[in-house]
Amino acid sequence: MNIFRFAGDMTHLISILVLLLKIYATKSCAGISLKTQELYALVFVTRYLDLFTDFISVYNSVMKVVFILTSSAIVWCMRRHRIVKRSYDQALDTFRHLFLVLGCLVLALIVHDKFTFQEVFWAFSIYLEAVAILPQLVLLQRSGNVDNLTGQYVFFLGAYRAFYILNWIYRYLTEQHFRLWISCISGLVQTALYADFFYYYYISWKNNSKLQLPS
Amino acid sequence: GYMSALKDEL
């Protein structure tokens, strides 16, 4: 494991912890898209089907369990927690995420390594992760104002993507048999989706003002 | 395969 991948994993973990902290501390999930959170939970569950069949390292297994549990906990809080669920912006969170799921499923059925249950769902999770942030970005766009913790959540998520791309470049240069193709393209798509957000995040940070997205 | 190289990642 190289430093870029480790930094990517850590910023990914921090983004989830920031989100849990926001929900726990403010008892509110305002500005958070339930649809994006459901998609991430689905991404982790379908990608880590190998949890019990292929052992890579204790680090990998622990992180997989942590990601599945924390993403499920967030979805549970937003749907079921007596107080938290009241602050959910249902009227603004109208992205048709089922179409993303169906589109990724069709793509995974066409483009995959091997036609097995695990491999198809692994490919599905890679494609879905690339677009899972869309409902969240649309929700931020619609609500205009972004509170600090929500802004930091998306910031860390974007940092995770940037570190993973550096990791792939590093692996491409140092490992003989490392070829990316489809995963790299999905990774680039996912990272590009953040570019717009990062621009406004930078502007608000530079001016030391509240993050506001144009409508 | 072209994807298996990423199986050791998260």
Side-chain angles (χ1 to χ4, degrees), chain A residues 6-203:
Chain A
F6 184 68
D9 287 347
M10 288 304 113
T11 43
H12 195 184
L13 190 60
I14 290 169
S15 76
I16 295 170
L17 294 180
V18 163
L19 189 51
L20 274 172
L21 176 77
K22 173 200 154 75
I23 293 173
Y24 180 79
T26 64
K27 293 285 180 292
S28 156
C29 60
I32 302 297
S33 164
L34 175 61
K35 300 193 167 178
T36 282
Q37 296 308 317
E38 287 177 340
L39 293 179
Y40 279 133
L42 188 59
V43 163
F44 292 135
V45 169
T46 51
R47 184 170 310 164
Y48 302 151
L49 288 171
D50 63 355
L51 192 54
F52 299 104
T53 56
D54 299 281
F55 178 79
I56 294 157
S57 65
V58 173
Y59 172 83
N60 266 40
S61 298
V62 169
M63 291 292 272
K64 286 174 179 180
V65 172
V66 168
F67 283 147
I68 291 173
L69 289 182
T70 48
S71 62
S72 311
I74 290 168
V75 171
W76 183 87
C77 279
M78 292 184 74
R79 294 186 81 109
R80 297 266 183 265
H81 190 282
R82 193 167 50 85
I83 302 165
V84 173
K85 71 178 182 188
R86 278 187 228 148
S87 52
Y88 170 51
D89 301 321
Q90 198 164 14
L92 294 174
D93 193 19
T94 53
F95 196 93
R96 302 288 199 81
H97 64 332
L98 196 60
F99 287 108
L100 291 181
V101 174
L102 290 176
C104 292
L105 195 59
V106 169
L107 188 59
L109 286 168
I110 302 166
V111 186
H112 49 254
D113 223 14
K114 283 181 234 117
F115 192 65
T116 63
F117 188 76
Q118 270 193 11
E119 289 289 338
V120 169
F121 276 108
W122 189 87
F124 166 77
S125 80
I126 292 288
Y127 305 141
L128 191 61
E129 191 190 359
V131 290
I133 193 68
L134 281 173
Q136 178 65 61
L137 293 177
V138 168
L139 176 61
L140 289 184
Q141 195 90 39
R142 285 192 183 161
S143 50
N145 275 316
V146 185
D147 68 77
N148 287 340
L149 284 170
T150 306
Q152 275 150 19
Y153 164 66
V154 181
F155 173 81
F156 279 114
L157 212 50
Y160 145 64
R161 295 312 313 166
F163 279 124
Y164 252 68
I165 291 205
L166 290 176
N167 157 51
W168 290 339
I169 293 170
Y170 181 86
R171 292 187 69 177
Y172 183 83
L173 296 174
T174 55
E175 289 174 36
Q176 251 179 351
H177 299 291
F178 190 76
R179 293 293 178 270
L180 303 162
W181 310 116
I182 286 113
S183 303
C184 182
I185 293 165
S186 344
L188 283 172
V189 167
Q190 188 181 352
T191 311
L193 292 176
Y194 290 91
D196 190 55
F197 172 85
F198 266 83
Y199 173 74
Y200 292 106
Y201 192 89
Y202 170 74
I203 297 289

